């Protein structure tokens, strides 16, 4: 169930807004984060399974004042989205091949004196 959470946050400038967006985006299940309101002091978070209380506590801890204004369910479109299969292939960086040289403790002489 997707939900839309609106949190009022005390923001003094662009640095605080950026910090609030980073904190909100790092929460579990968030799909969209934006700044709303006339004074740009509301953070709108849309996601699936987002814990609004934990999100508000994180914002309070880092920025100061934060309060939940509204939590509502996002109504889906009539058109159902089919989940698409997404395959991620991770390739480790290729290391150059390692060559081993056999080193003998006592090399055999290549020439002999008679």
């Amino acid at each position: 169930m997707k939900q839309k959470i609106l949190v009022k946050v005390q923001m003094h400038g662009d640095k605080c807004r950026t910090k609030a967006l980073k904190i909100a985006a790092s929460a579990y299940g968030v799909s969209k984060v934006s700044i709303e309101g006339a004074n740009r002091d509301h953070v709108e978070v849309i996601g699936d399974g987002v814990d609004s209380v934990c999100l508000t506590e994180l914002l309070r801890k880092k920025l100061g004042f934060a309060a939940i204004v509204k939590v509502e369910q996002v109504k889906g479109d009539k058109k159902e989205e089919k989940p698409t299969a997404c395959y991620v292939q991770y390739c480790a960086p290729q290391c150059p091949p390692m060559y081993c040289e056999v080193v003998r403790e006592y090399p055999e002489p290549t020439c002999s004196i008679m």
Side-chain angles (χ1 to χ4, degrees):
M1 156 177 110
K2 277 198 168 187
Q3 57 186 359
K4 179 177 165 182
I5 304 166
L6 193 63
V7 181
K8 182 178 171 90
V9 181
Q10 179 182 6
M11 293 189 248
H12 302 290
D14 289 335
K15 187 174 180 181
C16 289
R17 287 182 186 91
T18 304
K19 197 172 184 180
L21 288 174
K22 283 182 183 180
I23 292 167
S26 67
Y28 174 77
V30 173
S31 60
K32 181 183 172 190
V33 179
S34 62
I35 299 286
E36 301 290 328
N39 296 331
R40 295 179 57 186
D41 59 348
H42 289 80
V43 177
E44 182 183 62
V45 178
I46 298 175
D48 189 23
V50 180
D51 188 2
S52 59
V53 175
C54 287
L55 176 65
T56 307
E57 286 178 358
L58 281 173
L59 290 169
R60 265 189 211 134
K61 185 186 249 185
K62 299 290 182 175
L63 296 172
F65 177 78
I68 299 173
V69 176
K70 179 172 47 171
V71 178
E72 61 183 18
Q73 186 177 356
V74 176
K75 297 179 181 173
D77 297 334
K78 291 180 181 178
K79 181 181 172 184
E80 292 283 329
E81 292 184 21
K82 294 181 181 177
T84 58
C86 180
Y87 298 101
V88 177
Q89 184 177 16
Y90 177 76
C91 297
Q94 296 293 328
C95 296
M98 297 183 72
Y99 297 101
C100 296
E101 184 178 325
V102 177
V103 179
R104 295 183 183 153
E105 193 173 326
Y106 299 106
E108 295 177 7
T110 55
C111 61
S112 61
I113 300 175
M114 295 203 175

